[in-house]
Amino acid sequence: MNIVLSSERLLFRKITYDDYIELCKILQNVEIMYAWEHAFTDEEVLDWIKKNLSRYEEDGFSFFAAIDKNTGAFIGVIGPLIETIEGERHIGIAYILAKEYWGRGYASEGAAACIKYAFDTLKTDKVIAEIRPNNTSSLKVAERIGMRQEGEFVKIYKGCKMPHLIYSITKEVAPNERS
């Protein structure tokens, strides 16, 4: 399965085109994708996969498929990725889970594992998250894992201005669980 990292309940591997059906269940659900203000089309899901495969080649990392260790279920995508804010590149984390896995602590567990990966493997000193102000669940996840708001910016997405909050955590502040 080419596991990149793991946490207590999750395995993380690179996304492939074989994940298309599982990704459609997530990226084509308007309730899940409300922060993007639209569900993805079939073509947009394929483009999303292609973009992440390119990120693996260019950056060495991106969203990972998050797999439940006990059931083998594809619960969503969580991972470190390059976020560009006003021309400056940062290592960020992001998480998009299937609705049936919301409220079970998977996003917090996966995001914390990816922050540890960013500090230990990618050797960064700071990790950010871009979160829409109305995405209260994601804001709670960020705060639960020790991230704090440091700023805000407006992202242009499909011609629309979308306010985002910037949350961050530094290596010095992160829980000292790294070996």
Side-chain angles (χ1 to χ4, degrees):
M1 189 189 303
N2 294 328
I3 303 305
V4 178
L5 68 139
S6 67
S7 64
E8 182 181 345
R9 298 178 293 167
L10 300 171
L11 299 172
F12 301 88
R13 64 163 172 77
K14 291 182 178 180
I15 295 163
T16 71
Y17 282 109
D18 291 339
D19 296 318
Y20 175 76
I21 292 170
E22 293 297 327
L23 287 166
C24 283
K25 292 176 188 175
I26 296 168
L27 301 176
Q28 293 184 334
N29 182 321
V30 71
E31 193 175 356
I32 295 170
M33 299 301 290
Y34 72 92
W36 285 261
E37 298 185 8
H38 73 98
F40 285 20
T41 65
D42 290 349
E43 188 170 318
E44 287 172 323
V45 172
L46 287 171
D47 288 345
W48 190 89
I49 294 170
K50 182 178 180 179
K51 181 177 183 178
N52 284 284
L53 295 176
S54 293
R55 286 175 169 167
Y56 296 146
E57 292 297 316
E58 295 165 15
D59 302 326
F61 56 93
S62 189
F63 277 108
F64 297 125
I67 309 298
D68 184 294
K69 282 182 178 179
N70 292 324
T71 66
F74 186 105
I75 69 153
V77 291
I78 305 172
L81 62 155
I82 297 295
E83 303 278 21
T84 303
I85 300 173
E86 297 173 356
E88 189 176 335
R89 291 169 48 100
H90 304 270
I91 293 182
I93 56 157
Y95 30 91
I96 311 169
L97 301 184
K99 185 136 172 52
E100 61 266 30
Y101 297 101
W102 290 8
R104 297 186 188 182
Y106 287 113
S108 297
E109 179 181 328
C114 288
I115 287 172
K116 182 181 182 324
Y117 177 84
F119 290 144
D120 294 351
T121 303
L122 304 178
K123 304 298 183 197
T124 190
D125 293 325
K126 178 178 167 183
V127 177
I128 69 159
E130 298 179 7
I131 305 172
R132 298 289 305 275
N134 63 340
N135 191 343
T136 55
S137 295
S138 286
L139 295 172
K140 287 177 185 175
V141 167
E143 291 169 1
R144 193 174 300 119
I145 60 175
M147 300 184 95
R148 297 294 173 250
Q149 184 181 344
E150 74 167 44
E152 53 189 70
F153 76 109
V154 175
K155 179 185 276 191
I156 306 298
Y157 177 72
K158 293 191 173 247
C160 296
K161 293 181 179 180
M162 295 184 160
H164 281 72
L165 301 176
I166 304 167
Y167 273 67
S168 68
I169 189 168
T170 59
K171 192 171 187 174
E172 293 77 32
V173 174
N176 192 7
E177 58 185 43
R178 294 178 305 280
S179 51

